[in-house]
Amino acid sequence: MVIKNTDIKLKINFDILLPAICWHDVWISSQKPKNIVQFMYFQAIEGKKSASMFELEAKKEKTQDIIEEAKNLEKIISPEINLEKILSQEQEENNTKVDLSQLINMLDHLSLTPSGVSKEEQITQTLKRYLMSYGAQVLLEGEQRKNIVIDIPATESYASLRPVGLNAHIDTTSHNPTILRVNRDMIEAEGVGGNAGLDDMAGVAVIMEAVRVLCSNNIGHRRIRLIFTAEEESGFVGARELVGSRNYAEFLKELYLLITIDGHLYMEDDMARRGKDYPLAVKFLNFGGDKQNDYRYKAVFDAAKSVTDRKDLPKEFSFSAGDEQAFKDIDGLYIAHFRANYSDPHHGRIDSIKTKDLIDLTQWLVNILINLSQPELGIYANSSKGKGMLAPEEHVQVNEVIE
């Protein structure tokens, strides 16, 4: 590196270089980074710090030649770098990460809250308490089969964009308020006869953690419309009443995309519940025949790239039997339906979910919400130059944001 650097006119004095390297090792070995940000910081400044240490020791010996040599070595070992930019990028990436402890705590709280069919009052109050700190606005509560619809405000730059909807149902079949335990790589209901109600408390927890990640870290996002439906287990009753109501159907028609989350872990032989697992699985509804060229479709697939190295994910599937079947009757409503990844028997007395599958699903959702909100990321950059995949009604608004 020194030989190729034509900007530094330096005759190397190896008698000086060797102790300089030793001082570098002394400094770096004394540092104990507590997280990835500190680690990156130490990597970026190790040359500068060790050279400064070397210069300090040289001053004690009052050896001017060594002092000047140390200063030159500092330039070589630690060339000009934008440390602030490195740390900012690293911190931003960390801020978008799902917090496993927060996710499990949310799921545990939900599993301890009664939520049987027609007994959704407590769970709606629990969700409201969590969401109020994010400036949540309740649009509908209790009038339609105990459905609750809540808007999370957009960050300022994206306030003009249409909202994205997130849906999970808040009723369960045979849920007994239950403590969860993390057993190796599984999250399971505690005790004999325990039932955590993961159908669909897993979906609710995923949505709540995704909202927390965005709002707690002030990450740019569209308005997020949370649609928690009641009596799904009785035949999508809550969702059907939303769709059938002239007043409340507008909550759905306004959406740019509706993401619904429900259903057991998708498997290669899905009806037989066996074969290869696909923890990132999606079914698209109302997209038409050219979905591959739709911005929303691209956002969903691109968001999985940083979650998994598997080339076969996300996996598209065809069969589903949840609220999405009612919502698809809204003309022009684009729907991406995800599996919630809980294990069978999801209507039995004991249910479980793989920890990694829960994390990956949540991170996928976070990434999708970021992609949908910030088209300058990834493949969505520069739509004004013809590279974007934006829907026609979004072009002007999004380009204004980018510029």
Side-chain angles (χ1 to χ4, degrees):
M1 181 181 70
V2 174
I3 295 173
K4 291 181 179 180
N5 193 331
T6 57
D7 294 329
I8 298 176
K9 305 300 183 181
L10 176 67
K11 181 180 179 181
I12 300 175
N13 184 333
F14 288 95
D15 291 336
I16 301 299
L17 180 61
L18 181 59
I21 294 174
C22 293
W23 278 114
H24 166 268
D25 293 342
V26 168
W27 183 85
I28 198 67
S29 64
S30 65
Q31 309 308 311
K32 296 180 180 180
K34 297 180 180 179
N35 51 51
I36 187 64
V37 175
Q38 285 190 2
F39 175 79
M40 291 295 293
Y41 176 76
F42 292 155
Q43 290 294 312
I45 67 168
E46 59 180 1
K48 186 176 183 66
K49 289 294 186 181
S50 57
S52 297
M53 183 182 291
F54 181 31
E55 181 180 353
L56 180 64
E57 293 301 316
K59 285 180 178 179
K60 293 179 182 179
E61 300 297 327
K62 298 181 180 180
T63 307
Q64 189 61 36
D65 290 343
I66 295 179
I67 294 172
E68 293 301 319
E69 199 79 14
K71 289 180 178 179
N72 286 331
L73 285 169
E74 178 180 331
K75 295 177 183 178
I76 299 170
I77 299 173
S78 181
E80 291 298 319
I81 56 174
N82 190 337
L83 181 59
E84 183 178 351
K85 183 177 181 181
I86 291 174
L87 295 177
S88 175
Q89 290 173 341
E90 184 66 28
Q91 187 63 49
E92 182 178 350
E93 181 178 344
N94 285 339
N95 286 345
T96 65
K97 297 297 184 184
V98 170
D99 187 319
L100 176 58
S101 62
Q102 294 275 1
L103 181 55
I104 291 179
N105 285 341
M106 172 56 67
L107 187 57
D108 193 42
H109 195 163
L110 294 173
S111 71
L112 287 169
T113 305
S115 58
V117 175
S118 299
K119 299 177 181 179
E120 297 94 345
E121 295 92 343
Q122 281 188 252
I123 202 75
T124 58
Q125 295 306 311
T126 296
L127 296 174
K128 280 199 317 181
R129 283 196 299 271
Y130 272 104
L131 295 169
M132 284 303 118
S133 61
Y134 306 135
Q137 177 186 3
V138 178
L139 303 183
L140 169 68
E141 181 183 5
E143 298 175 38
Q144 292 273 316
R145 296 284 182 174
K146 301 185 182 66
N147 295 321
I148 183 168
V149 180
I150 301 174
D151 267 8
I152 304 298
T155 49
E156 185 175 356
S157 298
Y158 307 102
S160 63
L161 301 183
R162 291 162 58 191
V164 59
L166 305 178
N167 161 256
H169 66 86
I170 53 176
D171 62 307
T172 58
T173 52
S174 54
H175 174 210
N176 301 317
T178 303
I179 295 174
L180 294 176
R181 70 172 184 270
V182 180
N183 183 14
R184 294 186 180 178
D185 61 343
M186 298 293 291
I187 301 171
E188 300 173 323
E190 180 74 55
V192 177
N195 186 329
L198 296 182
D199 179 12
D200 190 24
M201 290 303 113
V204 176
V206 165
I207 289 172
M208 294 292 283
E209 171 62 7
V211 170
R212 187 202 66 79
V213 170
L214 294 179
C215 293
S216 297
N217 297 293
N218 197 30
I219 298 169
H221 60 83
R222 295 171 181 255
R223 187 161 30 117
I224 302 172
R225 181 158 296 164
L226 308 178
I227 304 170
F228 295 119
T229 44
E231 298 191 46
E232 187 271 350
E233 302 291 1
S234 300
F236 330 137
V237 174
R240 291 190 189 280
E241 290 200 1
L242 282 177
V243 171
S245 167
R246 180 174 300 178
N247 295 327
Y248 302 130
E250 295 301 320
F251 293 149
L252 299 166
K253 292 178 181 179
E254 186 186 3
L255 298 177
Y256 183 60
L257 175 69
L258 174 62
I259 297 173
T260 59
I261 306 178
D262 188 18
H264 62 82
L265 177 66
Y266 184 73
M267 309 184 84
E268 200 163 31
D269 189 352
D270 199 45
M271 298 304 292
R273 310 288 196 266
R274 63 190 180 193
K276 189 176 182 179
D277 290 353
Y278 294 95
L280 303 183
V282 59
K283 174 183 178 179
F284 294 99
L285 297 90
N286 296 347
F287 270 73
D290 195 27
K291 64 185 178 184
Q292 286 81 3
N293 291 319
D294 191 286
Y295 165 64
R296 287 156 279 224
Y297 180 91
K298 294 286 187 180
V300 169
F301 269 78
D302 189 62
K305 292 179 181 178
S306 62
V307 178
T308 178
D309 294 329
R310 283 179 55 176
K311 303 300 182 183
D312 58 347
L313 294 178
K315 177 74 171 179
E316 286 195 63
F317 64 92
S318 57
F319 175 78
S320 64
D323 283 340
E324 72 284 350
Q325 296 297 328
F327 293 138
K328 72 178 183 181
D329 291 339
I330 298 288
D331 290 337
L333 176 60
Y334 291 82
I335 301 172
H337 174 59
F338 296 172
R339 292 291 181 89
N341 288 343
Y342 46 77
S343 303
D344 275 336
H346 60 277
H347 284 162
R349 297 184 65 189
I350 298 177
D351 48 6
S352 61
I353 189 169
K354 291 181 181 178
T355 307
K356 187 178 187 306
D357 291 350
L358 185 66
I359 295 171
D360 287 354
L361 176 61
T362 311
Q363 191 64 62
W364 188 27
L365 180 59
V366 169
N367 295 353
I368 290 170
L369 293 173
I370 293 173
N371 279 356
L372 288 173
S373 304
Q374 301 184 20
E376 65 270 24
L377 298 178
I379 62 171
Y380 316 114
N382 238 342
S383 62
S384 60
K385 296 183 179 180
K387 297 180 181 179
M389 304 294 294
L390 308 182
E393 68 272 20
E394 295 282 301
H395 268 282
V396 175
Q397 295 167 323
V398 172
N399 285 337
E400 287 176 351
V401 170
I402 294 174
E403 295 169 2

